[in-house]
């Protein structure tokens, strides 16, 4: 295989993909490999990939004749044409969802239900009944809803990409055009795009699309989440991505956030050779998590349900679950799941890691994860609104039912699960939650996602048995920057020294009280940052399972003193980039 056609480097895939043609290896070298053009963005999944650039097929082009009116006699047929196209598109999403697993399946199923959503279909049907042609009615109906979602912000705004994707597919179907979206390349390729529709990223074949680079999207966007799951290098928020032409040959450096055009083949090949060695080592990493001088750190999995927990447990490397996002199982539910139903779900995850640590988070409903069965107040700023544990004030019974279900699921377990609440802001909230959890014989903890909780980590830890730092939200709230905003990706970077300083405070509180301090945000998936977190006093790292071996491997290559020195240097830096560089200088 020529290095011209394919080079991919990514420690995060090593465990599951060694031997696969899309070989995954760790990237050590820095540099632009003599590229003629290099553009920069926010790195989200480590690795180096090299190949021809492809872009999604454009949306169908057609003229909307504002004055066009379908004759009354033809309107029924027009409505049928529309219904057939909308159903075909929704069915395709459903079929792709059922042939996918994990978060890909969830994303596709969510898009399928959006494609069937009565709100936009009803609007389109009304327009068609008034004489608007089916394609124009589709565009008008979806654009109207998209505008509404954009105004709502947060997750709703994130779904605009899905909506537009549905619109383009339905219009193409109505007009008899080929389905828009990502081409199926003959050779392993770099996919560049403005932003990727979750439906497209979920269907990606990592043997064909070996890296992602987007002009928009943030570190927690769908693109980033799916890239992490697939284990392919990914850089987002690249303002100048248009300078990398389709058909050109480029590399994507997912560690430094660089995309370069026409790199020097020999230089890239050298980087790959070096990286292959590291990848082989990552694939051989079998735990347990510890520094080279034997300081133990639990390396855990973030999971969403029984199947994802079983998949995480299967290789026998990870030591438990650091974050079970329970709300993800109920995103499409119109009614509250019964206690029995919840019990079965929680038991599936506990059983997958029976005897090991399993940290279950109570529903983090609201903001970017609205649940239909929780009546959310209309809020101008939902990220700062009634979300997470705050939902228990208007709906105390929902939290009680969930804790009862967790206790029932725990009844047959070898070890009591740990239960933590999201979005805790005060000591009183932590105290109240801990009492409810203890009453049920479970181990209470809280997430540190709000800066106030980090500032008061001492008092909060006195109330609970453990804390877990949610770096995604802690970064969002510390930097006052929406985690979904592509424009603010540089601010929503967990390497921001202010964020690290808050984690330092939490780590010190944990050390002083000899209580566990975990990290379960995306920061725990970054091998270099993971070492810094350990240096700050963090005792467990929980991430997407695919990212864990690279983290474990890196940690095993440095001493605790090095982690501490890197942590001091990163906290003292004056920028996120400075913190990365300072840590790299110590940790290699
Ligand atoms: C976090 O905020 O870092 C976190 C782990 O929670 P979520 O990403 O689910 O909000
Ligand atoms: Mg969070």
């Amino acid at each position: 295989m020529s290095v011209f056609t394919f080079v991919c480097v990514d420690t995060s895939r090593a465990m599951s993909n060694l031997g696969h043609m899309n070989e995954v290896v760790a990237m050590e070298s820095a540099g632009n490999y003599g590229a003629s053009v290099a553009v920069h963005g926010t790195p989200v999944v480590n690795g180096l990939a090299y190949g021809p650039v492809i872009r999604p097929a454009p949306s169908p082009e057609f003229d909307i004749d504002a004055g066009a009116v379908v004759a009354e006699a033809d309107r029924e047929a027009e409505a049928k044409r529309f219904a057939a196209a909308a159903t075909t598109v929704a069915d395709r999403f459903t079929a792709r969802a059922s042939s996918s697993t994990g978060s890909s399946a969830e994303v596709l199923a969510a898009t399928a239900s959006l494609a069937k959503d009565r709100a936009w279909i009803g609007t389109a049907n009304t327009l068609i009944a008034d004489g608007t042609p089916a394609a124009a009615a589709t565009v008008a109906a979806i654009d109207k809803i998209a505008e509404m979602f954009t105004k709502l912000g947060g997750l709703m705004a994130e779904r605009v990409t899905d909506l537009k994707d549905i619109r383009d597919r339905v219009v193409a179907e109505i007009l008899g055009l080929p389905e828009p979206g990502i081409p199926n390349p003959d050779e392993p390729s770099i996919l560049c795009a403005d932003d990727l529709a979750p439906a497209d990223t979920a269907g990606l074949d990592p043997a064909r699309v070996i890296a992602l680079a987007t002009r928009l999207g943030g570190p927690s966007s769908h693109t980033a989440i799916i890239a992490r799951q697939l284990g392919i290098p990914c850089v987002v928020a690249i303002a100048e991505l248009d300078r990398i032409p389709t058909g050109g040959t480029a590399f994507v450096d997912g560690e430094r956030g660089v995309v370069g055009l026409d790199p020097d083949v020999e230089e890239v090949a050298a980087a790959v050779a070096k990286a292959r060695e590291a990848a082989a080592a990552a694939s051989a990493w079998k735990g347990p998590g510890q520094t080279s001088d034997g300081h133990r750190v639990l390396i855990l999995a973030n999971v969403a349900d029984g199947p994802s927990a079983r998949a995480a447990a299967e290789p026998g490397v990870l030591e438990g679950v650091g974050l079970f996002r329970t709300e993800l199982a109920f995103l499409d539910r119109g009614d509250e799941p019964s206690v029995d139903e919840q019990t079965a779900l929680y038991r599936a995850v506990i059983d997958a890691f029976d005897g090991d640590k399993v940290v279950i988070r109570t529903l983090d409903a609201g903001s970017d994860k609205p649940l239909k069965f929780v009546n959310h107040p209309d809020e101008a700023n939902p990220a700062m609104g009634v979300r997470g544990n705050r939902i228990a004030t208007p709906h105390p019974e929902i939290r009680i039912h969930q804790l009862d279900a967790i206790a029932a699921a725990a009844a047959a377990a070898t070890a009591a699960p740990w239960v933590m609440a999201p979005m805790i802001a005060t000591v009183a909230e932590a105290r109240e939650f801990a009492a409810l959890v203890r009453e049920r014989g479970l181990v209470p903890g809280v997430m540190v996602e709000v800066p106030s909780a980090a500032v008061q980590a001492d008092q909060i830890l006195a109330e609970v048995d453990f804390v877990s730092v949610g770096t995604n939200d802690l970064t969002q709230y510390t930097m006052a920057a929406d985690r979904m905003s592509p424009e603010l990706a540089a601010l929503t970077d967990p390497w921001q020294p202010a964020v690290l300083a808050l984690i330092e405070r939490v780590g010190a509180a944990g050390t002083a009280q000899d209580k566990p301090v975990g990290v379960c945000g995306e920061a725990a998936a970054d091998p270099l940052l993971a070492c810094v977190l350990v240096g700050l006093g963090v005792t467990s790292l929980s991430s997407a399972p695919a990212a864990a071996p690279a983290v474990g491997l890196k940690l095993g290559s440095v001493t605790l003193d090095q982690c501490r020195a890197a942590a001091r240097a990163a906290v003292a830096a004056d920028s996120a980039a400075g913190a990365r560089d300072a840590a790299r200088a110590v940790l290699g």
Side-chain angles (χ1 to χ4, degrees):
M1 189 188 311
S2 142
V3 286
F4 251 107
T5 55
F6 170 55
V7 174
C8 178
V9 181
D10 178 7
T11 48
S12 64
R13 295 194 71 206
M15 191 167 67
S16 56
N17 289 292
L18 203 78
H20 193 272
M21 85 174 272
N22 182 11
E23 192 168 344
V24 172
V25 280
M27 184 196 162
E28 293 293 335
S29 82
N32 290 343
Y33 310 107
S36 56
V37 174
V39 293
H40 297 257
T42 302
V44 290
V45 182
N46 273 354
L48 174 66
Y50 172 61
V53 172
I54 55 167
R55 281 192 161 77
S59 308
E61 273 184 28
F62 74 111
D63 291 328
I64 298 184
D65 179 355
V69 177
V70 176
E72 211 158 331
D74 298 332
R75 287 181 196 170
E76 202 181 314
E78 194 70 358
K80 280 192 181 141
R81 221 153 67 90
F82 165 72
T87 306
T88 303
V89 169
D91 287 351
R92 277 191 202 132
F93 283 123
T94 307
R96 287 166 70 193
S98 51
S99 60
S100 305
T101 54
S103 48
S104 300
E106 278 160 25
V107 165
L108 286 164
T111 310
S113 47
L114 198 56
K116 286 184 253 182
D117 194 277
R118 279 196 303 233
W120 80 266
I121 289 186
T123 308
N125 274 324
T126 309
L127 290 168
I128 294 168
D130 288 344
T132 308
T138 304
V139 173
I142 290 209
D143 285 357
K144 187 172 159 203
I145 306 254
E147 200 185 309
M148 227 166 70
F149 277 27
T150 305
K151 280 197 193 126
L152 285 171
L155 181 73
M156 291 311 196
E158 272 269 305
R159 306 228 62 193
V160 167
T161 306
D162 308 29
L163 275 171
K164 292 191 171 158
D165 183 50
I166 292 165
R167 176 195 66 192
D168 293 346
R169 286 168 198 266
V170 174
V171 169
E173 194 60 32
I174 291 168
L175 301 180
L177 297 171
E179 192 178 14
I182 293 164
N184 202 3
D186 293 334
E187 55 185 325
S189 302
I190 305 288
L191 177 59
C192 294
D194 271 359
D195 200 1
L196 289 166
D200 286 330
T201 48
L204 286 183
D205 174 0
R208 298 272 151 200
V209 174
I210 54 171
L212 300 179
T214 62
R215 192 172 62 79
L216 304 172
S220 347
S221 62
H222 276 136
T223 303
I225 289 166
I226 299 287
R228 205 166 281 118
Q229 194 192 27
L230 294 173
I232 57 178
C234 178
V235 181
V236 299
I238 309 166
E240 294 187 296
L241 188 61
D242 288 347
R243 293 179 64 202
I244 307 294
T246 307
T249 304
F251 73 82
V252 173
D253 177 345
E255 186 179 351
R256 292 185 309 121
V258 183
V259 178
L261 183 66
D262 287 333
D264 181 286
V265 181
E266 278 183 20
E267 271 193 53
V268 173
V272 167
K274 219 173 151 193
R276 279 200 176 120
E277 284 168 34
S283 71
W285 187 81
K286 293 280 178 277
Q290 57 186 349
T291 57
S292 61
D293 52 344
H295 174 73
R296 287 279 281 122
V297 177
L298 288 177
I299 309 271
L300 307 169
N302 288 355
V303 304
D305 52 20
S308 60
R310 284 191 290 277
E314 210 262 324
V317 172
L318 302 180
E319 297 181 74
V321 170
L323 170 64
F324 172 12
R325 288 181 164 103
T326 56
E327 66 283 354
L328 295 187
F330 305 127
L331 286 179
D332 286 331
R333 288 294 298 255
D335 53 345
E336 185 193 355
S338 69
V339 170
D340 283 352
E341 196 183 334
Q342 292 190 53
T343 303
L345 172 73
Y346 307 146
R347 184 167 294 152
V349 172
I350 293 170
D351 284 353
F353 279 97
D354 193 22
D356 287 335
K357 172 165 163 171
V358 172
V359 184
I360 303 178
R361 179 172 76 183
T362 50
L363 294 173
D364 187 16
S367 186
D368 56 342
K369 289 167 286 198
L371 290 179
K372 290 185 193 142
F373 60 89
V374 178
N375 247 339
H376 298 280
D378 241 350
E379 294 173 314
N381 194 349
M384 303 222 184
V386 184
R387 63 165 292 202
N389 192 63
R390 298 169 186 183
I391 292 280
T393 304
H395 300 287
E397 73 291 349
I398 289 182
R399 192 178 56 172
I400 292 297
H401 294 159
Q402 187 173 28
L403 291 176
D404 286 346
I406 296 171
T414 312
W418 296 20
V419 185
M420 65 181 179
M423 286 295 291
I424 291 295
T426 68
V427 180
E429 286 169 3
R431 186 181 302 132
E432 188 246 4
F433 182 75
L436 292 174
V437 174
R438 283 205 177 94
E439 270 169 25
R440 289 165 175 79
L442 306 167
V443 181
V446 297
M447 290 196 70
V448 175
E449 307 183 276
V450 181
S452 63
V455 170
Q456 291 195 292
D458 252 330
Q459 289 117 299
I460 285 184
L461 258 171
E463 301 293 340
V464 293
D465 291 3
F466 72 98
V467 294
S468 184
V469 183
T471 45
N472 307 335
D473 277 317
L474 184 62
T475 306
Q476 156 165 271
Y477 296 125
T478 303
M479 305 308 294
D482 185 340
R483 62 193 264 186
M484 297 299 175
S485 165
E487 284 83 13
L488 304 178
L491 288 175
T492 53
D493 184 336
W495 279 96
Q496 285 289 348
V499 178
L500 299 179
L502 285 176
I503 300 173
E504 182 178 40
R505 199 176 165 100
V506 183
T511 306
Q513 296 183 38
D514 198 19
K515 288 187 179 173
V517 172
V519 168
C520 60
E522 295 301 318
D526 174 339
L528 196 65
L529 185 48
C531 297
V532 167
L533 294 171
V534 169
L536 293 173
V538 164
T539 57
S540 68
L541 298 159
S542 192
S543 67
V551 170
L553 181 73
K554 181 71 192 170
L555 191 61
S557 73
V558 295
T559 63
L560 179 58
D561 274 352
Q562 277 179 297
C563 292
R564 288 182 175 146
R568 279 193 299 275
V571 172
D574 64 3
S575 67
R580 264 194 191 90
D581 289 346
R584 203 176 279 128
V586 178
L587 299 167

